[in-house]
Structures are given as structure tokens and as C-alpha cells.
Amino acid sequence: MKHTLAVLVENKPGVLTHISGLISRRAFNIESIAAGYTEEPDTTRITIVVEGDEIEQEQVVNQLSKLVDVIKISDLTAVESIQRELALIKVKASVNTRSDIINIVEIFRASIVDVNRETMVIELSGDETKIDALCQVLEDDHGIIEIVRTGKIALSRGPIPAKDQ
């Protein structure tokens, strides 16, 4: 099972390396990891998706909570949350296929962010399955040249911030 953890940490150099090193040394697989600043300038939020059962997830949380720079850990797997990824997808696009690609992009509520004579770059945010579905359609019909995806980011629903949960 995949577990999505929101980890609030002090905004210091090396904290992300420390956290990812701790998880990988324990032989846990990091599915994705994304870090960014928060509403507080001295706090960074790291969203980590790890694969494992409940016991393994609990071990990850216990190990992370021992780190000095960790402020708070929230498991967003079991609570209502909003989870998104971002993808940029470069596809082959001739003059004859552009209108078809535009139609596909509109269906998925994506955006075209770059066009040249031979390619188009599409931007899509959404859950993992939505991005996978668009990639499959584009690959089958047009051919994907290159893809880059962010790790998952997530927020719990409701008025209570992660630091107060």
C-alpha cells in the first residue's frame, strides 16, 4: 500500500538529504518526494509517498520523528486530502496532428505551453491516474518524446493546518 506523509521540517540546508537518506538506509522505497516552502518562511513541507504495509509506514514515521529538524508528521493516507502531481509531456506534433492533440488536451483540461514545427509540450496537473491516462492516449496516438513529472503534493481538507493536527 502507498502511504502519503506530510512532513514539516525546519528550513535548513541538508534536511531533505537527511530525511531521504534515513528512509533509504532502512530499505524503504520512496515512490515520490517533493519539497517546498510553506506559509512560514522558516518551515519546509516535504510530501513523501512510501510503499509498504502499516508496520513499515509506522517505522518510517517513528524514525523520521527522531530527527531534530522534523516539526510534525501527518499521514494523509487515511484522511480526506487533496493530492496532485504536475506533468510536462512533449509529444510529436505535425501540422496534420495538432488539432487532434488540442482536442485531447481539452478533454483532460490540460494546457499547451509550447509549440514548434515538430512538437508540442502539454502541462497537466491532477491525480496520478489522470496523468497516466493522458500519457497513454498521447503515446498510442502521437508518440511521446519526453515526460517529466513532479512528486505528489498533498493537503488535508478542512480548516486545520498540518502543524496543528
Side-chain angles (χ1 to χ4, degrees):
M1 179 175 174
K2 291 181 184 178
H3 297 272
T4 303
L5 303 175
V7 184
L8 293 174
V9 299
E10 293 180 23
N11 190 6
K12 294 180 179 176
V15 172
L16 181 60
T17 303
H18 209 64
I19 287 174
S20 63
L22 182 143
I23 293 170
S24 63
R25 278 193 306 276
R26 305 278 184 299
F28 297 115
N29 184 40
I30 298 173
E31 184 86 17
S32 76
I33 188 166
Y37 62 88
T38 67
E39 67 282 357
E40 297 178 16
D42 58 342
T43 303
T44 296
R45 183 184 180 111
I46 303 171
T47 306
I48 305 168
V49 179
V50 291
E51 181 83 33
D53 59 26
E54 293 294 324
I55 294 169
E56 292 171 325
Q57 178 269 337
E58 191 174 308
Q59 289 175 341
V60 170
V61 170
N62 288 339
Q63 293 298 317
L64 288 175
S65 62
K66 293 177 184 177
L67 296 176
V68 174
D69 297 322
V70 172
I71 300 166
K72 178 82 176 177
I73 303 168
S74 302
D75 185 353
L76 298 178
T77 309
V79 298
E80 276 193 71
S81 62
I82 299 125
Q83 302 184 11
R84 296 288 185 265
E85 292 183 22
L86 171 69
L88 294 174
I89 308 159
K90 187 186 298 179
V91 295
K92 297 175 188 171
S94 66
V95 173
N96 299 332
T97 61
R98 283 192 187 139
S99 62
D100 187 36
I101 294 169
I102 290 168
N103 289 337
I104 293 167
V105 166
E106 288 176 359
I107 290 168
F108 281 89
R109 295 187 187 148
S111 303
I112 296 170
V113 294
D114 186 58
V115 177
N116 67 40
R117 281 191 269 170
E118 299 174 18
T119 65
M120 296 174 94
V121 177
I122 299 158
E123 176 184 332
L124 175 63
S125 67
D127 65 26
E128 182 180 2
T129 57
K130 180 180 180 179
I131 293 172
D132 290 344
L134 176 61
C135 289
Q136 187 65 52
V137 170
L138 291 172
E139 179 63 35
D140 291 347
D141 296 344
H142 301 286
I144 293 177
I145 298 169
E146 194 172 12
I147 299 174
V148 62
R149 289 172 78 156
T150 64
K152 184 184 292 187
I153 57 171
L155 278 177
S156 62
R157 295 194 56 157
I160 301 170
K163 66 181 178 188
D164 296 337
Q165 291 180 344

